[in-house]
Amino acid sequence: MADADNLRPEKAPKIWRKLGLKDFEYEMIVEQLGREPNPVELNMYSVMWSEHCSYKHSRSSLKLFPTGGPRVVQGPGENAGVVDIGDGYGAVFKIESHNHPSAIEPYQGAATGVGGILRDIYTMGAQPIAFLNSLRFGPPNNARSRYLIEGVVAGIGGYGNCVGIPTVGGEVYFEPCYRGNPLVNAMCVGVMPLKRLVLGQACGEGNLVVLAGARTGRDGIHGVTFASEELSDQSEEDRPAVQVGDPFLGKILIDATLEAVEKQLVVGVQDLGGAGLTCALTETASRAGTGLEIDLKMVPLREEGLEPFEILTSESQERMLFIVEPEKLEDLEKIFQHWQLPLSVLGQVSAGKMVTVRHHGEVVAEVPAESVAGGAPAYEPESREPEYIGKLSAFDLSALKPAGDPGQYLLSLLSSPDIASKEWAWQQYDYMVRTSTLEGPGGDAAVLRLRETGKALAVTVDGNSRYTYLDPYLGGMLAVAEATRNLSCCGAEPVGITDCLNFGNPEKPEMFWQFRQAVEGMAEACRVLEAPVVGGNVSFYNEVEDEAIYPTPVVGAVGLLENAKNYCKTGFVRNGDLIYLLGPCEVSFGGSQFLKELYGKVAGRPAGIDLEMEKAVQALLRRLIADGLIVSAHDLAEGGLAVALAESCLAGGRGAAVTLASGLDSVLELFGEGPTRVLISLPPEASDRVLDLARKKRVRMSELGRVDGGDSLTVKCGNALAFKLGLDELKKAYEEVFSWIRT
Amino acid sequence: MENSLQALGFAGVKGVRVGKYLELFLEAETREEAAARLKDMAERLLSNPVIEDYNYSLQEVKL
Amino acid sequence: MNCGVIVFPGSNCDLDAYHLVRDVLKEEVTYIDYEERSLQGFDVIILPGGFTYGDYLRSGAIAARTPVMEAVNRFACSGGLVLGICNGFQVLTEAGLLPGALCRNDSLQFRCRQVYVRIENNSLPFTNKASTDQVLMMPVAHGDGSYYAPPEVLQDLEANGQVIFRYVDQRGEAVKAANPNGSCENIAGVSNRAGNVVGLMPHPERAGEAVLGSTDGLVIFESLRGYCKGREVLKSG
């Protein structure tokens, strides 16, 4: 697809098909334009009407998300969402996928994914303060997967470290379904004084349209078209569709842009990402209801001989579009000269709603902005429950009867790549630069102080695709619940979420069903938990040779801590503290890590969720942390209670002795998974007060044992010893599985 | 890098070393003058003599 | 103490050094543009970490040839105190103000983690408030941090007391496992012959507040402050 020669419209009849448009869509274009588009215009339409840009298969479903709330300043539709965090400041954040480029060219694919999401944040006028990422690969037991893992991690670090924004958190999971189609979702969080907010709008007739940053080359032409197809054997040939990042240019472009915003030299800002200049021009004009007149001869080029359609669809990185009042141009130029960054006036904002593109004076395209940017059809795709759902959920979990040594079970879970320490990844990321990282990678959420206000933000990304595969509706709810719970475990109040929805081909009814169900589940959880969705991204067509990935909704969540000094960590803190389990005791092996590791199966029904209870548990947690009553909190996730206990011991470097007294099947109790459960520790003198508060909120609290300060984790079931494992044994299991990546 | 090459199926690769290749156009009256200036550039900026060696080749082009 | 923090294109720890001096030490601090040609009035010049000019040619190579570095050179020659942290260390070696060079980490990967360093010479203005063999915990965050110098230069450095910081384990032993980048002799930081220019790979400016995990880096800045105060007293006396 990306071979520029094949895109030359005169080369083939029905060229729109080659450009990824359907006959019916072409007819719509003719109708909206009132004539046949010329080849340049057709290229513009094809990139903007690609799935990646137009959300044509997802738009109607995304309307289900609650997007408003008392804190929401800017919901979906702009470059990023903005949430009020008090004192006149806003948090700006968004997550985005860069899956297909990373499958082909892992380093550059991941690096430009980071660069792209970064631009979305500072485009709004915000100072970026943190990156997070969510990654999915095939099992790390073969060379190809390792090549992808190493390349992606190095690419994330390569870009993030250079621009000087800390990468503070993330998640990495491994399943065979991601072998050919890894997932690379990058999130960026920024902070800004709200009065500085600028939008991506081309306002004010006569204002100048200015392009700044890198020169335009042939890289990434039709990258969005590439992202809107299934991967295939031929995808390797699409390497030119993968853009190349220049983090140094990215870094000085941030500095220059934020200086221009601060000095109020620009009335509109839009970054150039997917669909390049075409997207930036038509979106800014369409949002403002204006027109634009530009000449492509003013676009600084990296090489000679680029044709108009190439200039218009190139996805060369590190470029920004500014809308500038003519009298402020000189001051803007001064800033960019100081950083030795090219800046060029392409044209101006005009009356009417047409984007008119000239090339050396001759009109090469004249299109209605709104039609190109927003005229794509919104499909209501056919939806059908896949057959596997019924089969897998009928899997008889009660027949398992695991009778092995629970201690060995724990060690094998700790050493599974999904659960094992991810230090091998995050030691390649600078997570401390900007000296605001109070809590870095490895905990339930990262915590960043805000120097300006004395408050702090907690940030996390979460998603469990096994749950979503087995029950997309439930999986969607669980993803939102887990992300917000992780914030609450730090003591932070969730203020908004951003989501990255990674799915297969939506034109297949089974795939669309997964998508729709997951969105409905997420929307329900967002409503109950009062976590508005302020932005996000959909990535469809994650399939190789007809095999789709698990449906993988990833939730990025941001929470506010009123006092930066008052947050909770996951590790045990003090000898003699009491350990409790907060929340319900319902668990299941359905979709669990235990079932995957020990039986090689992804099946069964995951434990359901009571969203009202979830809300109550989270509220209670925040209260307990704010009042200083508990000293550690750790969300129970993959591997259940036993893994959470081991992690809290390792994080705090302290042993514990625990007794399970529920009388349930002890293996299920130790390794079964269920939502809304949190492991807490507290000083004995606080226990009456904590129990009382829990009772008032009707939240179940079970006493488990004590931080004993020894060098082992001891677990008894009733009077019988389930296991006693040294912290060194636990640590070894937790850390050794990725030792190959260190050498 | 060796690992990556093996991952892509290239067997028998050993001892990969990475260097830098720089290409520049230089206006000069004579070949000797060009060589002298190039050496100077290599020593003062393009390479770090503490950790790097360099060599060069000159090719005449008309612009 | 009046500090200047140089901002090259691509510096990204300038903010952290500035914040430490202003908000933690409560001393005077000013950003200095890379095109600045005079450093009059400053007691200490800090070259911060980052990726100047992307480190595309070599780490610190282009920054070492910017206008401000001529001023830094004059400042250092006249006895001014210069501290290069991480990329700033790389710039100082590229500029010839410090011996040796920083090569790619032996892991070939970027490394961000806490390390321990031992103070090898506590008679410098940068270290005189530290005790002999004091061990500091500070983070590193670099890809090109492996200090190299030819054997005869290393010998000189050791003999002259120019090795200022060495990677050690928690107990103060210079073992291989404590070295995050494979540097010669576990070297983490060196000084020039006169002892007024120091560069190190670890980040003392990130180890200045308890909430960030360590306050061990403060001893370097406290030493500088003490030295500058002493100098003022001398001058006015």
Side-chain angles (χ1 to χ4, degrees), chain A residues 131-209:
Chain A
F131 287 121
L132 298 95
N133 54 74
S134 172
L135 312 177
R136 300 286 186 287
F137 299 102
N141 56 8
N142 70 81
R144 174 78 194 171
S145 290
R146 291 180 177 198
Y147 162 72
L148 291 173
I149 294 164
E150 290 183 297
V152 165
V153 170
I156 289 170
Y159 202 101
N161 298 344
C162 186
V163 294
I165 310 301
T167 301
V168 298
E171 49 163 25
V172 194
Y173 289 100
F174 305 88
E175 298 288 349
C177 65
Y178 301 112
R179 201 175 280 154
N181 193 128
L183 300 185
V184 176
N185 294 178
M187 174 172 168
C188 186
V189 184
V191 170
M192 68 188 302
L194 284 170
K195 62 176 194 297
R196 202 189 282 172
L197 183 65
V198 277
L199 300 178
Q201 302 189 351
C203 299
E205 196 185 330
N207 282 343
L208 303 175
V209 179

Side-chain angles (χ1 to χ4, degrees), chain C residues 177-196:
Chain C
N179 186 337
N181 53 40
S183 64
C184 289
E185 309 297 330
N186 275 29
I187 290 173
V190 300
S191 76
N192 63 348
R193 186 74 196 261
N196 65 322

Side-chain angles (χ1 to χ4, degrees), chain A residues 77-90:
Chain A
E78 268 285 341
N79 289 294
V82 185
V83 175
D84 191 334
I85 52 170
D87 311 295
Y89 281 82

